[in-house]
């Protein structure tokens, strides 16, 4: 029993792109840095990012610049973004990408030897720096291989159970390691949350087991606020067959390279309905769309490259109206480009190598010859810990956040490619600000009683016998969220979901996990339930309160946008008795300059 | 359809195979089976996994004796008339059930000299590289660090030369650095003296098990061996060295 203690200036929780970038920056600023990661180093969900990172370097189209990027981001987010974050992101992304190159990343090249950029949904110009379709792997490996030489203290396969406090300030974290089930207390003057998303709350998801919303709820419990939790991105193209791979991501890069969506009648249905905000930017004919993806600057983008929320809804509509593919999706066809490209087979394998292998090995489909079957999958949460844009600090002194667990940048819908650059830009800002904070504030003390309480709570599932199986509760919750708080929402169903979540919370208090402390996944799942249940409730409550359809949030009972709701964000708070409440507050970070920029750019 | 999975369970040397009867569907992968067993029969069955899409390299194991990613091995491709064995990797210390201690790999990587770029090519601090020059190291950078190549390599697996040989994964890593168009560091002496590149006798087992289809032996290891030979064993170079001191 008991715990091991270690101390640092800045504790980073999470070792994906954001966490690693924050750790590198804090360390470069002279702070002693500890990183806790739930998995092994280099395995975080960032590896799954395929398409690329958005940065307006203008290598392929020199009309691009940060001003176009920020307006694209705001339009994509339906203007609910934290405008200041969108501005910082657009301004700093190019430098963050170049920095990766200086640390060894090898992006695909333009003919004149610069970093190549590709088209992606919602981006006006080719903007995504990429390496085939494995950009996330390139990014995490670069940060990892750079980071291991910076004197950072890494604790792998270690999961945080609670943040610890010293008065109002955060003071550290209580964690267990998977390998031996030992407990660790890490004392820290500042903490950066970089824990990623919440996808495991849903049944069909592209996210790994780690994505249980830990960072969101740990911050809530420490007194921070969440913003925009109703906005969960359903990526339009996940695999739908075979059942066991349902939800695995099919990169938007397929459409960026010319892939088209068809229904069972062979109709390219995306041409049928173009949202008013994008009419001027969308191709009129398939021929113009093809010219766009092959680099014709005069052409406008094909409707397959509209924002993710829109494409996902259109696929669902086709399926609901009986025009879906055999396994309940739509057809995504890249093989058709053989009509236009000689040796298209080699071209596809080169541009989309991991997609080729994924379909070949998991579904027995050769994408160079046949269409893929795709459908929406839970992919990303726009909502997250509410922070100050310029420092990434939450309401809690010393508690910072960056990456997916942080809210604000993406508003109601994230553009593809804006996530990887988000990790870099705000990882750096958070790391820097956390190091500064740690330098300006004295030592923390942690009361042993506080630690003892967390220890008892952590061991409870293993000491209880005869309780329910934690996996059963996890699966039930995933069904509830998928069916009742999914891609098309309605008041009565969300109310039902909240009731069910409340019941599951009671049952989760009585689960038991047999076995011992060493690498015991049943125990770990039992501990994750706390986070999953709280974050699910936050999503459902926020969604219930937004009586309109906007971005990723679609309400069957309120199909239209509501002008007043278009000016507010939803805040989630946790009160002392454990209950969650929501409130609408005005959108953050708007300035006159940005507003006139948005008008000017159209 | 019903099938039997024979899984290596236990820890601290107290291990045995345990049989699980599972109903499997076409299209399931072995990792799905393990998850099903966890959810229904053995909640404490330890296995490491993350992405379930062949991109993170966490769920490495030996399936019917062959090193594979559990998430990329379809049940339909296995002979289900016999029990399917699932065992942990053999080249690393065992922790529990299907989980091994792969930390040695992380320690090895730290010892390899990091990337050191040349001065930027352009005044704005950026570089120019041709696509054709980045393609070879890009192949090596596809590596997902599943360590299956380390697991199958007889130098590590059978001869336990972990102290003298860095294994295929880190030869690929070194090759990616050495063939990086911008890198200026020299790792050839380390390859010969510390990393044990000479231990590899080109049986190509690593190439065969690589889930990313990296041509490990031909494209990475053999060129590194050639560099070592050129620098240390080429008679002409040795002659030159008498007259000209080595760089650095």
């Amino acid at each position: 029993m008991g715990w091991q203690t270690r101390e640092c200036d800045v504790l980073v929780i999470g070792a994906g792109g954001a966490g690693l970038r924050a750790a590198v920056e804090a360390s470069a600023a002279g702070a002693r840095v500890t990183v806790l990661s739930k998995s092994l180093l280099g395995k975080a969900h960032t590896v799954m990012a395929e398409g690329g990172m958005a940065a307006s370097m203008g290598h392929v189209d020199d009309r691009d610049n940060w001003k176009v990027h920020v307006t694209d981001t705001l339009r994509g987010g339906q203007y609910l973004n934290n405008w200041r974050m969108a501005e910082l992101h657009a301004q700093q992304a190019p430098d963050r990408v170049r920095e990766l190159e200086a640390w060894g990343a090898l992006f695909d090249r333009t003919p004149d030897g610069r970093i190549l950029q590709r088209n992606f949904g919602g981006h006006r110009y080719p903007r995504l720096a990429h390496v085939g379709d494995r950009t996330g792997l390139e990014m995490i490996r670069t940060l990892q291989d750079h980071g291991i030489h910076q004197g950072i203290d890494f604790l792998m396969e270690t999961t945080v159970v609670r943040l610890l406090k010293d008065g109002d300030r955060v003071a550290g974290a209580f964690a267990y390691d998977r390998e031996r089930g030992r407990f660790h207390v890490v004392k820290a003057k500042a903490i950066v949350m970089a824990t990623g998303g919440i996808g495991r709350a849903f049944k069909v998801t592209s996210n790994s087991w780690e994505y249980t919303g830990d960072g969101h709820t740990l911050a809530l419990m420490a007194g921070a606020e969440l913003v925009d939790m109703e906005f969960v991105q359903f990526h339009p193209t996940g695999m739908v067959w075979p059942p066991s791979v349902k939800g695995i991501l099919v990169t938007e890069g397929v459409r960026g390279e010319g892939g088209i969506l068809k229904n069972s009648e062979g109709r390219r249905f995306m041409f049928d309905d173009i949202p008013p905000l994008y009419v001027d930017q969308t191709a009129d004919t398939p021929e113009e769309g093809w010219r766009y993806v092959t680099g014709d600057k005069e052409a406008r983008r094909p409707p397959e490259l509209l924002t993710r929320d829109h494409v996902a809804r259109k696929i669902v509509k086709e399926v609901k109206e009986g025009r879906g593919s055999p396994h309940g999706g739509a057809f995504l066809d890249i093989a058709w480009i053989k009509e236009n490209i000689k040796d298209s087979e080699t071209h596809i394998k080169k541009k989309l190598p991991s997609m080729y292998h994924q379909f070949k090995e998991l579904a027995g489909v050769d994408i160079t010859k046949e269409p893929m079957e795709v459908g929406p999958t839970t992919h990303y949460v726009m909502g997250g810990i509410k922070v100050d844009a310029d420092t990434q600090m939450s309401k809690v002194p010393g508690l910072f956040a960056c990456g997916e667990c942080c809210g604000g940048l993406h508003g109601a819908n994230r553009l593809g490619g804006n996530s990887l650059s988000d990790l870099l830009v705000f990882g750096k800002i958070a790391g820097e600000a956390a190091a500064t904070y740690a330098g300006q504030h004295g030592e923390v003390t942690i009361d042993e009683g506080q630690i003892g309480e967390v220890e008892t709570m952590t061991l409870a599932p293993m000491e209880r016998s005869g309780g329910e199986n934690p996996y059963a509760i996890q699966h039930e919750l995933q069904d509830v969220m998928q069916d009742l708080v999914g891609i098309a929402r309605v008041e009565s169903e969300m109310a039902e979901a909240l009731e069910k979540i409340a019941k599951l919370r009671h049952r989760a208090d009585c689960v038991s996990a047999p076995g011992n402390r060493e690498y015991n996944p049943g125990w770990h799942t039992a501990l994750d339930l706390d986070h999953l249940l709280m974050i699910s409730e936050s999503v459902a409550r926020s969604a219930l309160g937004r009586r309109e359809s906007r971005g990723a949030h679609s309400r069957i009972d309120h199909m239209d946008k509501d002008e007043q709701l278009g000016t507010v964000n939803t805040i989630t708070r946790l009160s002392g008795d454990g209950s969650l409440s929501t409130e609408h507050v005005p959108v953050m970070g708007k300035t006159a300059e940005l507003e006139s920029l948005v008008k000017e750019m159209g | 359809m019903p099938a039997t999975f024979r899984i290596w369970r236990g820890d601290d040397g107290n291990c045995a195979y345990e049989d699980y009867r599972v109903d499997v569907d076409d299209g399931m992968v072995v990792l799905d089976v393990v998850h099903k067993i966890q959810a229904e029969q053995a909640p404490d069955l330890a296995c490491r996994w993350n992405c379930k899409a062949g991109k993170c390299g966490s769920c490495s194991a030996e399936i019917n004796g062959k090193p594979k990613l559990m998430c990329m091995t379809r049940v339909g491709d296995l002979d289900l008339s016999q029990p399917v064995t699932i065992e942990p990797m053999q080249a690393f210390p065992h922790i529990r059930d299907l989980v091994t201690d792969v930390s040695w790999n992380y320690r090895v990587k730290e010892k390899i000299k990091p990337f050191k770029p040349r001065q930027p090519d352009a005044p704005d601090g950026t570089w120019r590289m041709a696509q054709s020059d980045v393609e070879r190291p890009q192949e090596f950078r596809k590596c997902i660090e599943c360590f299956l190549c380390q697991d199958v390599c007889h130098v590590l697996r059978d001869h336990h030369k972990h102290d003298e040989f860095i294994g295929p994964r880190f030869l690929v890593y070194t090759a990616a650095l050495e063939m990086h168009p911008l890198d200026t560091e020299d790792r050839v002496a380390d390859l010969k003296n510390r990393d044990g590149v000479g231990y590899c006798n080109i049986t190509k087992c690593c190439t065969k098990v690589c889930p990313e289809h990296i041509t490990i032996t031909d494209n990475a290891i053999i060129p590194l061996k050639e560099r070592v030979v050129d620098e240390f064993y080429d008679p002409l170079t040795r002659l030159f060295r008498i007259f000209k001191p080595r760089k650095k």
Side-chain angles (χ1 to χ4, degrees):
Chain A
M1 286 300 142
W3 52 85
Q4 302 172 6
T5 308
R6 59 175 77 205
E7 284 185 39
C8 61
D9 297 324
V10 175
L11 167 64
V12 179
I13 303 175
L20 286 173
R21 188 64 191 81
V24 164
E25 197 62 27
S27 166
R32 292 171 305 152
V33 181
T34 294
V35 176
L36 298 184
S37 67
K38 225 168 156 178
S39 288
L40 295 173
L41 204 49
K43 308 293 183 198
H45 211 63
T46 307
V47 297
M48 296 291 285
E50 293 162 349
M53 53 190 102
S56 58
M57 298 184 290
H59 289 177
V60 173
D61 193 321
D62 58 14
R63 290 173 296 181
D64 203 11
N65 59 53
W66 76 266
K67 291 179 177 174
V68 190
H69 191 179
V70 70
T71 50
D72 284 352
T73 302
L74 291 169
R75 186 183 304 105
Q78 309 258 343
Y79 307 103
L80 288 188
N81 322 54
N82 178 324
W83 289 42
R84 174 67 179 152
M85 281 176 79
E87 181 183 26
L88 287 168
H89 169 255
Q91 287 170 335
Q92 298 182 10
D95 280 347
R96 295 292 81 77
V97 172
R98 291 184 197 112
E99 194 168 68
L100 278 192
E101 181 152 282
W103 295 344
L106 275 173
F107 295 102
D108 288 347
R109 318 306 298 181
T110 60
D112 66 348
R114 296 189 295 170
I115 295 171
L116 182 61
Q117 299 184 270
R118 71 154 51 119
N119 286 310
F120 236 57
H123 293 282
R124 185 175 295 196
Y125 302 119
R127 189 175 284 150
L128 268 67
H130 61 276
V131 188
D133 53 6
R134 55 160 193 88
T135 316
L137 174 68
E138 185 71 12
M139 176 164 147
I140 199 164
R141 198 67 80 230
T142 302
L143 290 169
Q144 174 191 349
D145 295 349
H146 182 74
I148 57 174
H149 298 287
Q150 308 302 309
I152 298 164
D153 173 30
F154 288 104
L155 246 77
M156 300 196 289
E157 297 197 304
T158 304
T159 305
V160 173
V161 182
R162 286 291 183 276
L163 298 183
L164 303 167
K165 291 183 77 178
D166 178 359
D168 286 340
R169 270 178 82 180
V170 286
F174 182 92
Y176 65 86
D177 65 60
R178 300 172 79 75
E179 186 178 328
R180 297 286 167 208
R182 285 167 302 218
F183 292 148
H184 301 264
V185 170
V186 186
K187 277 176 77 177
K189 294 180 195 163
I191 296 181
V192 179
M193 304 304 286
T195 54
I198 66 160
R200 292 311 278 190
F202 293 82
K203 190 174 174 186
V204 179
T205 176
S206 63
N207 293 176
S208 79
W209 67 270
E210 299 180 291
Y211 266 38
T212 48
D214 307 15
H216 291 79
T217 55
L218 290 172
L220 263 183
M221 291 186 246
E225 296 169 332
L226 304 182
V227 62
D228 289 340
M229 290 309 294
E230 65 271 40
F231 296 114
V232 176
Q233 182 167 72
F234 299 92
H235 193 291
T237 59
M239 291 177 81
V240 297
W241 193 89
S244 68
V245 300
K246 193 164 180 167
I248 293 180
L249 190 65
V250 179
T251 176
E252 192 166 322
V254 175
R255 284 168 283 145
E257 298 295 342
I260 57 175
L261 286 164
K262 286 185 181 169
N263 62 19
S264 61
E265 294 162 2
R267 182 173 174 78
R268 209 170 153 187
F269 57 88
M270 288 306 299
F271 271 107
D272 298 346
D273 179 9
I274 316 283
L277 214 50
Y278 286 94
V279 168
D280 297 343
Q281 298 183 13
T282 307
D284 289 329
T285 62
E287 182 272 330
E288 183 182 0
W290 173 252
R291 280 196 284 119
Y292 176 87
V293 297
T294 47
D296 182 343
K297 290 184 183 178
E298 300 310 312
R300 293 167 300 172
R301 68 176 147 238
E304 278 84 1
L305 288 177
L306 285 163
T307 52
R308 290 175 172 178
D309 53 334
H310 178 76
V311 181
R313 271 194 299 274
K314 292 300 129 191
I315 293 176
V316 171
K317 182 165 178 271
E318 291 304 305
V319 176
K320 275 200 173 151
E321 293 173 5
R323 296 184 298 273
S325 68
H327 302 99
F331 292 108
L332 173 62
D333 188 4
I334 184 75
W336 81 277
I337 66 169
K338 63 175 177 272
E339 293 168 20
N340 293 325
I341 286 187
K342 253 195 284 175
D343 199 13
S344 63
E345 202 175 312
T346 316
H347 179 81
I348 293 167
K349 282 186 196 167
K350 185 160 158 24
K351 288 288 180 184
L352 302 162
S354 58
M355 282 307 106
Y356 174 76
H357 286 295
Q358 186 172 311
F359 273 90
K360 191 91 185 149
E361 283 164 34
L362 293 176
V365 168
D366 181 347
I367 67 166
T368 66
K369 297 194 172 66
E370 334 160 52
M372 299 157 248
E373 274 188 75
V374 295
T377 178
T378 314
H379 183 54
Y380 188 89
V381 60
M382 272 66 76
I385 301 165
K386 181 169 166 278
V387 294
D388 167 63
D390 290 85
T391 61
Q392 297 293 102
M393 190 161 89
S394 70
K395 210 179 123 192
V396 181
L399 181 64
F400 299 77
C402 55
E404 189 173 349
C405 73
C406 172
L409 172 62
H410 308 293
N413 175 56
R414 176 176 71 83
L415 297 185
N418 268 358
S419 177
L420 288 187
S421 41
D422 169 12
L423 307 184
L424 295 173
V425 168
F426 293 105
K428 180 185 189 304
I429 292 175
E432 204 170 10
T436 306
Y437 181 93
Q440 289 168 347
H441 292 78
E443 294 295 330
V444 286
T445 47
I446 304 173
D447 151 49
E448 296 254 326
Q450 195 186 155
I451 305 174
E453 264 174 47
V454 182
E455 186 189 28
T456 309
M457 183 201 77
T458 308
L459 287 169
M462 225 168 352
E463 284 166 355
R464 221 177 276 130
S465 60
E468 251 191 290
N469 177 345
Y471 291 99
I473 295 189
Q474 191 192 35
H475 293 165
E476 273 183 55
L477 175 67
Q478 288 168 340
D479 285 334
V480 167
M481 291 303 283
Q482 187 76 33
D483 298 340
L484 306 177
V485 198
I487 196 163
R489 298 166 172 168
V490 66
E491 176 130 5
S492 57
E493 290 185 352
M494 289 187 284
E496 187 189 338
L498 282 168
E499 274 172 37
K500 289 189 165 168
I501 292 168
K503 283 187 190 139
L504 287 169
R505 258 178 119 165
H506 281 293
R507 283 165 59 192
D509 288 339
C510 314
V511 293
S512 56
N516 59 26
R517 285 168 71 162
E518 292 173 7
Y519 225 111
N520 182 343
W523 180 38
H524 306 154
T525 302
L527 294 173
D528 286 342
L529 285 177
D530 257 3
H531 302 299
L532 277 173
L533 286 159
M534 193 184 289
I535 209 63
S536 298
E537 185 182 335
S538 167
V539 172
R541 280 198 191 286
S542 302
L544 198 57
R546 187 169 283 282
R547 291 185 178 84
E548 63 160 354
S549 292
R550 181 182 298 271
H553 171 70
S554 291
R555 288 278 300 252
I556 298 171
D557 48 353
H558 299 277
M559 300 282 272
D560 296 320
K561 284 185 199 168
D562 177 295
E563 203 176 323
Q564 195 273 326
L565 287 170
T567 63
V568 295
N569 297 114
T570 311
I571 300 291
T572 303
R573 293 190 192 95
L574 177 68
S575 66
D577 64 358
S579 64
L580 293 176
S581 60
T582 58
E583 189 196 345
H584 287 155
V585 301
V587 166
M588 289 161 274
K590 254 188 196 181
T591 59
E593 287 86 2
L594 285 171
E595 279 186 279
S596 64
L597 194 62
V598 165
K599 279 201 191 97
E600 181 192 323
M601 296 278 173
Chain B
M1 68 199 111
T4 302
F5 287 79
R6 183 162 288 171
I7 300 178
W8 189 247
R9 297 220 50 191
D11 55 11
D12 291 332
N14 186 15
C15 303
Y17 290 106
E18 224 165 287
D19 283 1
Y20 297 91
R21 199 75 180 145
V22 188
D23 221 15
V24 298
D25 307 321
D26 190 31
M28 269 173 106
V29 293
V30 171
L31 185 59
D32 292 317
V33 174
V34 169
H35 284 161
K36 201 167 168 180
I37 294 169
Q38 275 181 340
E40 294 167 4
Q41 303 183 43
D44 64 338
L45 166 59
C47 95
R48 196 180 260 139
W49 71 286
N50 276 62
C51 75
K52 204 176 167 293
K55 294 196 170 70
C56 76
S58 299
C59 63
S60 306
E62 300 189 2
I63 300 163
N64 285 339
K66 297 214 168 64
K68 282 179 183 293
L69 294 178
M70 290 193 279
C71 71
M72 296 302 278
T73 307
R74 293 180 77 177
V75 170
D77 296 336
L78 301 168
D79 174 11
L80 299 180
S81 67
Q82 303 286 323
V84 175
T85 60
I86 314 177
E87 298 161 292
M89 290 192 283
Q90 306 290 303
F92 309 113
H94 190 220
I95 294 178
R96 208 166 81 80
D97 303 341
L98 298 174
V99 179
T100 56
D101 176 2
V102 293
S103 58
W104 169 78
N105 293 285
Y106 290 85
R107 292 193 296 276
V108 169
K109 187 186 249 186
E110 276 181 41
K111 286 192 287 188
I112 296 167
K113 287 181 191 160
F115 174 66
K116 190 169 130 193
R118 68 176 183 230
Q119 286 301 308
D121 302 330
D124 65 353
T126 61
W127 289 272
R128 301 288 177 270
M129 289 179 263
Q131 182 63 36
S132 56
D133 292 332
V134 303
E135 267 164 18
R136 178 49 51 80
Q138 277 184 339
E139 180 196 356
F140 304 147
R141 292 178 67 89
K142 286 197 301 189
C143 173
I144 56 174
E145 300 199 331
C146 63
F147 308 127
L148 289 173
C149 59
Q150 308 286 70
D151 183 46
V152 81
C153 177
H154 64 103
V155 182
L156 300 171
R157 186 187 180 96
D158 301 326
H159 304 292
H160 312 290
K161 296 282 185 195
H162 294 71
D163 293 334
E164 298 165 57
F165 182 55
I166 61 176
R169 161 58 192 136
F170 296 103
L171 292 171
V172 167
Y173 177 70
T174 306
L177 289 164
E178 286 285 303
M179 296 181 204
H180 193 299
L182 306 184
D183 185 68
T184 58
E185 189 58 86
D186 182 356
R187 300 169 190 82
V188 178
D190 285 348
L191 279 169
K192 171 179 172 285
N193 301 325
R194 185 194 65 194
D195 302 342
V197 70
Y199 274 116
C200 168
N201 54 358
I202 323 186
T203 51
K204 302 197 184 184
C205 309
C206 51
T207 306
K208 276 190 207 117
V209 301
C210 178
E212 285 292 308
H213 310 287
I214 300 171
T215 331
I216 301 176
T217 317
D218 291 352
N219 288 353
I221 301 182
I222 291 175
L224 291 182
K225 281 172 169 283
E226 286 170 352
R227 288 183 186 205
V228 169
V229 169
D230 285 348
E231 187 151 340
F232 291 97
Y233 301 105
D234 180 54
L236 216 63
T237 316
R238 294 184 89 165
L239 195 68
F240 280 131
R241 209 175 290 142
I242 295 171
F243 301 105
K244 196 178 155 206
R246 273 194 69 208
K247 63 174 165 176
K248 272 177 273 161

